[in-house]
Amino acid sequence: MKRKVKLSMLRLRPYNKDDAETILTWIKDEKTFYKWTAGILGEYPISVEQFNTVSNLMAFTAIDDEKIVGFFTVRRPNDSFEELRFGFVIVDSEKRGQGYGKNMLNLGLKYAKEIFGANKASLGVFKNNEPAYYCYKAIGFENVEMDEAEKYAVMGEKWDCIELEMKL
């Protein structure tokens, strides 16, 4: 008997404040929270209201069959749109490792290039977040050589941040 394979149709839409409750359920513990936010959004655990400060950025929700499966933001690190910086990238904890992150980011990169005319994308990832790092590398991000890694004080430790970029 043949098994039916369901093809998903991942798409992006602008972030809606109602998405916050779903997205915040993907954070199961303090370490995961800080790998995701570096504490920029506040201390663990954050409220829906704290999370909704992301609506000041270009924030996107990834949808698959009308179900929220991912989220990320894009911002301009300087005045032009030549470079766009991705941040707060997260995929539903039950969907990780299935290609959703790669597909979602590829859609975001296409948007950055075609809509904003960006010619470079960048992001930072903690060295201790290997699944995210390998996801970014798999879609073409490359390490930026830095004199010294940026460090964040997280949970009583110093976490190194790896800088990545990609030409679009």
Side-chain angles (χ1 to χ4, degrees), residues 14-33:
Y15 170 75
N16 174 323
K17 288 185 177 192
D18 294 336
D19 299 342
E21 283 188 36
T22 300
I23 294 165
L24 290 176
T25 66
W26 303 338
I27 304 302
K28 306 295 186 202
D29 58 62
E30 190 174 10
K31 193 168 191 172
T32 301
F33 172 78

Side-chain angles (χ1 to χ4, degrees), residues 32 38 47 51 74 155 161 164-165 167:
T32 301
S47 67
F51 180 71
V74 178
M155 298 171 58
C161 188
L164 299 168
E165 69 181 25
K167 302 283 184 239

Side-chain angles (χ1 to χ4, degrees), residues 9-161:
M9 182 61 189
L10 192 70
R11 56 187 210 282
L12 298 178
R13 67 160 166 75
Y15 170 75
N16 174 323
K17 288 185 177 192
D18 294 336
D19 299 342
E21 283 188 36
T22 300
I23 294 165
L24 290 176
T25 66
W26 303 338
I27 304 302
K28 306 295 186 202
D29 58 62
E30 190 174 10
K31 193 168 191 172
T32 301
F33 172 78
Y34 287 113
K35 283 182 183 180
W36 176 46
T37 68
I40 293 167
L41 297 176
E43 304 254 328
Y44 176 80
I46 60 170
S47 67
V48 166
E49 293 75 26
Q50 284 173 290
F51 180 71
N52 273 324
T53 61
V54 299
S55 45
N56 299 332
L57 303 166
M58 289 182 280
F60 296 90
T61 302
I63 305 292
D64 185 29
D65 287 336
E66 303 309 315
K67 185 176 179 337
I68 298 169
V69 296
F71 171 85
F72 66 93
T73 62
V74 178
R75 67 178 174 83
R76 297 181 307 177
N78 49 49
D79 291 338
S80 80
F81 280 98
E82 287 183 21
E83 176 182 351
L84 290 178
R85 186 157 181 88
F86 285 68
F88 304 119
V89 178
I90 191 167
V91 170
D92 179 338
S93 49
E94 294 178 11
K95 305 273 187 204
R96 291 183 191 146
Q98 299 175 38
Y100 282 93
K102 291 175 195 159
N103 290 340
M104 177 179 74
L105 286 169
N106 278 323
L107 288 172
L109 292 164
K110 182 177 178 169
Y111 190 84
K113 181 175 179 55
E114 293 179 8
I115 304 301
F116 290 105
N119 57 32
K120 182 167 108 175
S122 63
L123 55 78
V125 62
F126 285 120
K127 196 174 189 175
N128 65 359
N129 193 353
E130 288 185 357
Y133 174 76
Y134 288 115
C135 172
Y136 304 144
K137 294 289 284 184
I139 61 171
F141 277 93
E142 296 180 0
N143 290 43
V144 175
E145 291 303 319
M146 308 285 280
D147 290 337
E148 192 175 327
E150 190 173 357
K151 294 184 186 304
Y152 287 76
V154 181
M155 298 171 58
E157 301 172 352
K158 291 278 189 208
W159 289 6
D160 288 348
C161 188

